[in-house]
Amino acid sequence: MDDLDPVAISVLFEEWDPQTESSQDDQAVCRFPGEPTNVANMASEDIAKLAETLAKTQVAGGQLSFKGKSLKLNTAEDAKDVIKEIEEFDGLEALRLEGNTVGVEAARVIAKALEKKSELKRCHWSDMFTGRLRSEIPPALISLGEGLITAGAQLVELDLSDNAFGPDGVRGFEALLKSSACFTLHELKLNNCGMGIGGGKILAAALTECHRKSSVQGKPLALKVFVAGRNRLENDGATALAEAFGIIGTLEEVHMPQNGINHPGVTALAQAFTINPLLRVINLNDNTFTEKGAVAMAKTLKTLRQVEVINFGDCLVRSKGAVAIADAVRGGLPKLKELNLSFCEIKRDAALSVAEAMVDKAELEKLDLNGNTLGEEGCEQLQEVLDGFSMARVLASLSDDEGEDDEDEDEEEEGEEEEEEEEEDEEEDEEEEEEEEEEPQKGEQGEEPTTPSRKILDPDSGTDTSDPEVVVSAFLKVSSVFKDEATVRTAVQDAVDALMKKAFSSSSFNSNTFLTRLLIHMGLLKSEDKVKAIANLYGPLMALNHMVQQDYFPKALAPLLLAFMTKPNGALESCSFARHNLLQTLYKV
């Protein structure tokens, strides 16, 4: 308890009710408001109790915390107590608003209170828009940002994680990032915000502008920690951010797991990392490297000397990629503490190469090769190799090993090459589609362009809307191409409206059967007939979120849909942003 501020303790102690906070020796330690407090005479257990209250409530070294209070701040009146505490807090350096819900009007008056807090450095504002419409979040963020800019604050940390604001939400703090308030920013945390490709590009441009403007003033942005996991950045978003990283050059930690990034995006990041020599932590878990991405990243790792943690788990680096990474580790990375290559389809010989590369890594604490295809003998050999270095303790559990793969190595390599070629073809097709969407051309007769998404479904072109199974198939087809770009999103929503309005208005259409079959095809409900569940639920969930808000949607279906959205399901967990949006909507239906 030596780090407690005696002044802060005294302030809080005056508000401590001895009737509810008793100790073994009340007379020795309790004081009523107005009485002097002798902190030195307080029993240690009382200090511990007081510290707990302190952490939950108010003050600690320049920090004002409302964390986890579940405050519903809609109006100025709702926020008056928060504002009062902000205004009366001298030397405010950190403001915690996590675990509350802040509306547009409340954000505006809180921002007004922040205008006089020039010493504010850390904004812990994750999970502070629970239950809010996405349209509410950007104006709330704009207000808060303007308050910080007006105050002349010099932020060191900005955490907006777990706020489902999507691409539009990035616009909400874009001006703040470009302002002098963020010239001093060291940590930017945007985990699980659903930014998408569009949001990633906006963010990258804002960071680049911040660096340019701060450089003009002679103190370029020196960002150290960047966190943006679970944001569906994909290749284009990752590539845009990579360009910004290459300009910034001061990163020490990069966390971008679960973003749907394939080898083009991984390669772009790898190139950017070479320009960030201070990198200590690289976390790209659950993206898709394949051999090309792994080789590119391995090449970068050879140039870095400060790296301590590498998390490429569930990244499909495969055997060739693992060997390339092993070669990079063997030739450098003297400070390596943790290497995660779990669930990467790595075979025995490649895994042994990785283990052998650890021979001189004196600071290594963990090597994770679980979930690969080593086989029982391979697992034993792996243990023996590390035993030989007296490093057996660093090996993580191999309990999920997939067993030795008997497939011929040559056949596997050929299959990998074919698969990567298919991936490249798909990516090229996607890029062509995106170009068409972003820059539509008029036809020969000068007619208005039509985005590819609008061609996917014409409900009047023969779709039997009386058959639930046919309607489910059509719904999934059109929703599968959903993207956050405005043109595509609108096209998909219009097509869904045309299809479902026609279906639900038909007297012969069985709505309950439709929803049941839809849940089966989404892998959320078991069925006796063998139905292959769709791979990605993001598009269907976003389309459902739109559909359930429409007048044509039978409200009687909402409770059933809500029940399945709240059940634990791995497929839903991987689309947490879309699921969160749909749940918010269903609760209001």
Side-chain angles (χ1 to χ4, degrees), residues 271-558:
Q271 292 169 347
F273 291 166
T274 61
I275 312 171
N276 288 265
L278 300 179
L279 268 173
R280 294 184 295 102
V281 178
I282 304 175
N283 177 6
L284 295 176
N285 186 282
D286 199 8
N287 289 292
T288 307
F289 282 38
T290 65
E291 180 191 340
K292 288 186 177 180
V295 168
M297 193 60 70
K299 183 178 179 181
T300 289
L301 292 176
K302 289 183 176 181
T303 69
L304 301 175
R305 305 293 295 174
Q306 306 300 320
V307 173
E308 298 176 5
V309 177
I310 298 172
N311 187 345
F312 297 159
D314 204 13
C315 281
L316 204 65
V317 304
R318 297 199 176 112
S319 293
K320 289 184 178 179
V323 170
I325 292 172
D327 184 50
V329 172
R330 187 180 296 107
L333 304 181
K335 298 183 179 181
L336 187 64
K337 293 181 178 179
E338 181 177 335
L339 175 61
N340 185 346
L341 293 175
S342 60
F343 299 93
C344 281
E345 293 191 6
I346 300 171
K347 291 193 172 186
R348 179 182 60 184
D349 290 347
L352 292 175
S353 294
V354 173
E356 289 165 357
M358 303 298 128
V359 60
D360 60 346
K361 303 301 173 243
E363 298 185 31
L364 190 69
E365 297 172 0
K366 183 178 181 180
L367 173 62
D368 194 345
L369 288 165
N370 195 22
N372 289 298
T373 54
L374 311 183
E376 184 176 349
E377 184 179 349
C379 290
E380 292 175 357
Q381 291 177 335
L382 193 64
Q383 188 75 46
E384 290 172 2
V385 169
L386 292 169
D387 272 337
F389 306 151
S390 299
M391 298 175 70
R393 60 180 173 74
V394 306
L395 184 62
S397 169
L398 297 172
S399 59
D400 293 319
D401 186 72
E402 297 289 339
E404 191 166 8
D405 191 346
D406 294 328
E407 189 178 335
D408 184 78
E409 190 76 25
D410 293 335
E411 290 180 6
E412 180 201 16
E413 291 177 0
E414 184 178 339
E416 290 177 3
E417 290 172 1
E418 290 176 358
E419 185 176 337
E420 289 189 7
E421 287 174 4
E422 289 174 4
E423 287 176 0
E424 289 174 358
D425 291 340
E426 289 174 5
E427 286 160 8
E428 288 174 2
D429 292 341
E430 288 175 4
E431 289 173 3
E432 289 173 4
E433 287 179 8
E434 287 175 6
E435 288 173 3
E436 290 177 22
E437 291 163 8
E438 292 174 1
E439 299 180 12
Q441 301 296 317
K442 289 191 175 183
E444 292 180 4
Q445 304 301 319
E447 69 272 13
E448 288 300 314
T450 303
T451 66
S453 300
R454 294 187 184 276
K455 298 177 182 178
I456 293 172
L457 178 64
D458 178 1
D460 296 321
S461 63
T463 301
D464 183 4
T465 52
S466 65
D467 186 338
E469 189 69 27
V470 172
V471 175
V472 166
S473 177
F475 176 85
L476 292 175
K477 181 179 180 183
V478 68
S479 63
S480 67
V481 299
F482 183 95
K483 290 185 179 180
D484 288 308
E485 284 84 352
T487 53
V488 182
R489 179 174 64 244
T490 301
V492 170
Q493 290 173 349
D494 289 348
V496 167
D497 287 340
L499 171 71
M500 298 313 303
K501 185 175 183 180
K502 184 177 180 181
F504 284 132
S505 63
S506 172
S507 59
S508 61
F509 183 70
N510 191 319
S511 300
N512 288 319
T513 301
F514 162 76
L515 183 55
T516 300
R517 296 302 299 174
L518 179 61
L519 291 169
I520 289 171
H521 281 274
M522 292 174 69
L524 305 179
L525 180 63
K526 292 183 179 179
S527 171
E528 293 181 0
D529 54 334
K530 294 183 178 180
V531 175
K532 184 177 180 181
I534 59 175
N536 190 340
L537 296 184
Y538 179 73
L541 289 173
M542 295 299 284
L544 277 171
N545 184 53
H546 169 77
M547 182 178 75
V548 299
Q549 299 178 62
Q550 308 310 309
D551 292 338
Y552 61 73
F553 178 74
K555 305 308 180 195
L557 296 181

Side-chain angles (χ1 to χ4, degrees), residues 152-165:
Q154 298 286 290
L155 295 185
V156 173
E157 179 178 0
L158 177 61
D159 187 354
L160 292 170
S161 298
D162 299 316
N163 289 310
F165 48 58

Side-chain angles (χ1 to χ4, degrees), residues 42-53:
M42 294 174 64
S44 59
E45 62 185 14
D46 298 308
I47 295 179
K49 191 178 297 182
L50 186 57
E52 183 179 353
T53 306

